[in-house]
Amino acid sequence: MPVLTIYRLLTIGLTPLAGAALGWRAKQGKEDPERIGERMGAPGLARPAGRLVWLHGASLGESLALLPLVERFIQRGVEVLVTTGTVSSAKVLRARLPAGAVHQFLPLDAPQFVERFLEHWRPDIVLFAESELWPNMIRAIHARRLPLVLVNATISRRSAARWRRLPGGARTLFGEIDLCLAQNAESAARYLGLGAPRVRVCGNLKFDVPPPPVGAGRLAEFNGAVGPRPVWAAISTHAGEEEIAIDAHLSLSSEVPSLLTIIVPRKPERGAEIAALASAKGLAVGLRSRDGEPRRGVQIYVADTVGELGLFLRAVSVVFTGKSLTAEGGHNPIEPAKLGCAILHGPHVENFADIYGELAAARAAARVSDAESLARALQFLLSDPSRMRKMGRAGAEVVRKLGGASQSIMAAIEPYLAQSALEQK
């Protein structure tokens, strides 16, 4: 029996359990309890009249990368539906989506939910970001003869190898994608090898995304609380990296006694755990969700809130980007680079190797390997603000030069937009 048929039958069989599973996830904070119906394909909003483009990004980073396209579609007079799969992405998009765009949660990949979703929204064009591939959804889109485009598409060597273990299923699924617009030549070659019929390289949309916003009043209030203290931030950290940041702070405390370390964990719900870890090492800790602005005397400040990264990146001049020391792959350094931060990172940045390579070549980023080397790099930069600012300016210039993917993507999908406009007449 073909693998895609087996998958379809399994998801049909598990459909009756979806409500209970989603309810359990809601209790864990992983679903919005008021919007669980959307995860089963039930619409939370009416479909707007006219042409509708549906864009999907799995989580926060992927969905934010779609914002430049959202703006361009709205300028063209096209209605926009954006879907995501995480609670944190929904919270951030609520503040950042422009008028003319609406948000829904992506339904689970069960045929009943998928059909309910598509029947209500009836998109004219479908754009999926990066490597988000749900077999039942893709097959249903193809059956309705809707153009499906992968944008900002990327696929790792490891993921491509997993797909190749299912050659029949992979070639069927990838063959139903109308157009694949890859971030780079390596991903483009992998998509072609898996059966995507039309592939182009358009660059990385994330270079075109505006930096995360913050109100001037909030920034002034935060900077007033910090005062003249030297400050740095470890952002998007994963388990183990917070302890390294805390140890680096301890190493620096004798040289820089007034140092403030801001830790922004990738998962805000880990904030209390991180605060306890720092307290156990004898440090004065502030937890943003509990204590508000950093009080005088706080040494480790845990920023366990959603949607405030723009505030913290503007309050510092040097950051460490997480998922690069104790976890693999790295996180996107574009946002701190756009805001002029000098960037430190661990050795494991495979998911963004090209970007980190460009930053390193411009001397805008430096690699560290442990708490000791992190502390040395921080001391070097904090003691020489002019060098730190020079690194930041170099990074901002790198990401400026690498922009333009949104324009290339819009040009590539113009035939689909033109066709949808003809069909509306």
Side-chain angles (χ1 to χ4, degrees):
M1 187 180 293
V3 65
L4 293 179
T5 302
I6 294 171
Y7 174 83
R8 181 180 177 84
L9 292 173
L10 281 173
T11 53
I12 290 172
L14 292 171
T15 296
L17 305 177
L22 289 166
W24 180 84
R25 283 176 55 84
K27 291 178 181 177
Q28 310 301 310
K30 297 179 180 180
E31 301 286 348
D32 185 335
E34 297 181 359
R35 299 177 64 181
I36 282 179
E38 294 173 28
R39 297 289 272 155
M40 295 188 283
L45 299 166
R47 184 200 188 279
R51 285 190 297 164
L52 178 73
V53 174
W54 168 29
L55 300 94
H56 173 69
S59 58
L60 183 56
E62 291 88 342
S63 56
L64 289 178
L66 293 170
L67 288 177
L69 296 182
V70 171
E71 293 280 2
R72 286 177 179 269
F73 282 123
I74 291 172
Q75 290 168 6
R76 293 283 299 269
V78 180
E79 301 291 336
V80 177
L81 166 68
V82 179
T83 59
T84 62
T86 65
V87 173
S88 60
S89 61
K91 289 179 180 177
V92 174
L93 286 176
R94 187 180 300 129
R96 296 190 65 175
L97 279 180
V102 296
H103 173 268
Q104 295 279 276
F105 283 108
L106 183 76
L108 300 179
D109 196 42
Q112 177 183 335
F113 303 155
V114 167
E115 289 299 332
R116 184 184 297 164
F117 175 88
L118 291 173
E119 185 62 29
H120 174 79
W121 290 104
R122 304 186 315 280
D124 295 282
I125 308 171
V126 182
L127 277 64
F128 282 6
E130 300 206 10
S131 55
E132 185 80 347
L133 300 171
W134 292 105
N136 288 328
M137 183 65 81
I138 289 174
R139 307 222 71 186
I141 291 167
H142 182 71
R144 288 172 178 256
R145 300 183 182 277
L146 300 173
L148 173 60
V149 182
L150 288 189
V151 298
N152 220 37
T154 179
I155 187 167
S156 67
R157 185 183 295 108
R158 185 182 302 177
S159 294
R162 284 199 295 264
W163 279 109
R164 280 195 293 271
R165 295 190 194 112
L166 304 171
R171 296 201 75 81
T172 298
L173 197 65
F174 284 89
E176 293 179 349
I177 297 168
D178 289 270
L179 180 62
C180 177
L181 303 177
Q183 290 185 21
N184 52 50
E186 292 78 12
S187 285
R190 290 171 192 143
Y191 280 112
L192 283 169
L194 289 168
R198 287 171 290 279
V199 180
R200 289 172 58 177
V201 177
C202 284
N204 191 337
L205 266 176
K206 291 179 179 177
F207 289 112
D208 291 358
V209 179
V214 64
R218 285 173 59 206
L219 181 59
E221 184 180 8
F222 187 83
N223 284 339
V226 173
R229 304 174 60 183
V231 57
W232 72 287
I235 64 170
S236 299
T237 56
H238 289 243
E241 291 176 326
E242 296 91 9
E243 186 167 10
I244 290 171
I246 292 166
D247 287 344
H249 179 102
L250 286 167
S251 295
L252 281 169
S253 58
S254 59
E255 300 285 340
V256 192
S258 60
L259 179 67
L260 175 63
T261 293
I262 301 173
I263 298 177
V264 188
R266 184 68 170 180
K267 295 183 178 180
E269 61 268 24
R270 295 184 55 243
E273 166 197 337
I274 298 163
L277 181 65
S279 294
K281 297 199 175 200
L283 293 166
V285 180
L287 191 63
R288 184 161 180 80
S289 63
R290 179 189 66 201
D291 306 321
E293 306 296 355
R295 301 184 310 274
R296 184 176 181 181
V298 165
Q299 297 164 293
I300 303 292
Y301 185 68
V302 183
D304 60 335
T305 52
V306 174
E308 291 197 294
L309 186 59
L311 169 64
F312 306 121
L313 290 179
R314 287 174 173 84
V316 303
S317 295
V318 57
V319 302
F320 165 80
T321 55
K323 202 183 179 183
S324 61
L325 274 175
T326 61
E328 293 186 0
H331 278 304
N332 180 3
I334 295 174
E335 289 181 338
K338 279 199 168 190
L339 289 171
C341 295
I343 295 170
L344 304 174
H345 61 87
H348 306 298
V349 292
E350 298 82 3
N351 293 346
F352 301 95
D354 291 347
I355 304 171
Y356 280 101
E358 294 278 356
L359 291 171
R363 297 186 177 180
R367 193 172 91 169
V368 298
S369 56
D370 52 23
E372 183 181 353
S373 58
L374 176 58
R376 285 199 305 268
L378 288 169
Q379 183 177 11
F380 177 72
L381 291 171
L382 292 170
S383 65
D384 191 347
S386 63
R387 184 182 296 273
M388 187 162 53
R389 287 192 295 270
K390 185 177 180 181
M391 281 184 71
R393 287 194 299 269
E397 180 63 14
V398 165
V399 296
R400 186 192 67 78
K401 287 181 177 178
L402 292 173
S406 60
Q407 183 175 348
S408 299
I409 289 171
M410 291 299 290
I413 63 176
E414 181 59 38
Y416 300 107
L417 284 172
Q419 181 63 33
S420 70
L422 287 174
E423 291 172 357
Q424 288 285 316
K425 294 181 178 179

